[in-house]
Amino acid sequence: MNPKILVFAGSIRTGAYSGKTADAATKELALQGAEVTRISLADYPLPIMDQDLEVEKGVPENAFKLARLIAAHDGLLIASPEYNSSIPPLLKNTIDWVSRIHKDGGRPFKPYAGKIAALCSSSDGNFAGARGLYHLRSVLMNCGVEIITPQCSVPRAQEAFDETGQFKDEHLRRRMETVVRTLIERAKMMSLRADG
């Protein structure tokens, strides 16, 4: 069985390096046989997480749409920029809203349960956005997501991609191959465990 992997970037800025990294990951996932769904968080706008708003209006429908997408996939691959050595607010807000969902249609629903994730980062500097992944890893683990150890961080991202969207650097290509292979293997194991 080919695992289903959901891919998205933590930025929706035009030309965002995290978007290019997510695109490179999508191509590698498809090459290695995964069923890939690539989305943009721009298609799921959400208000700032606010418990008063939640009490008044409930969890926004876009959070439910994302939660159902996450639940329908075996794993996630998230490519994130780094904001002040941490998680960009768009991504944190998205994760937080989805974590508020406990029921769907009156039935218990835990979208993050049993999910495996791979993390990638990018920046125009030498740190490659990797510092932000420590915080992202911690937040996702608190939500019950299992994070694989390999990650792909892209330094000097403004010059990292060729005209086809592939990495110019062979080391980065191999790194992404390792991340994707590990994610697929772990997603298959998690799926087998769930079926068993």
Side-chain angles (χ1 to χ4, degrees), residues 87-162:
I87 309 168
L90 169 70
L91 182 54
K92 180 68 164 61
N93 192 56
T94 300
I95 293 168
D96 288 347
W97 268 122
V98 172
S99 76
R100 303 297 296 175
I101 296 171
H102 305 291
K103 288 188 175 180
D104 188 13
R107 294 185 305 276
F109 182 47
K110 296 181 180 179
Y112 291 125
K115 298 303 162 194
I116 186 87
L119 306 181
C120 299
S121 64
S122 54
S123 80
D124 54 7
N126 290 329
F127 289 117
R131 293 173 298 186
L133 293 187
Y134 289 110
H135 296 173
L136 180 55
R137 184 178 292 266
S138 176
V139 169
L140 287 168
M141 286 173 64
N142 188 69
C143 292
V145 178
E146 183 179 321
I147 315 295
I148 64 168
T149 301
Q151 59 190 43
C152 182
S153 296
V154 183
R156 298 176 298 282
Q158 70 275 21
E159 55 194 49
F161 302 90
D162 66 22

Side-chain angles (χ1 to χ4, degrees), residues 35 111 174 187:
E35 281 186 53
R174 287 199 305 269

Side-chain angles (χ1 to χ4, degrees), residues 14 56 125 182 192:
T14 301
E56 181 187 341
T182 307
L192 285 171

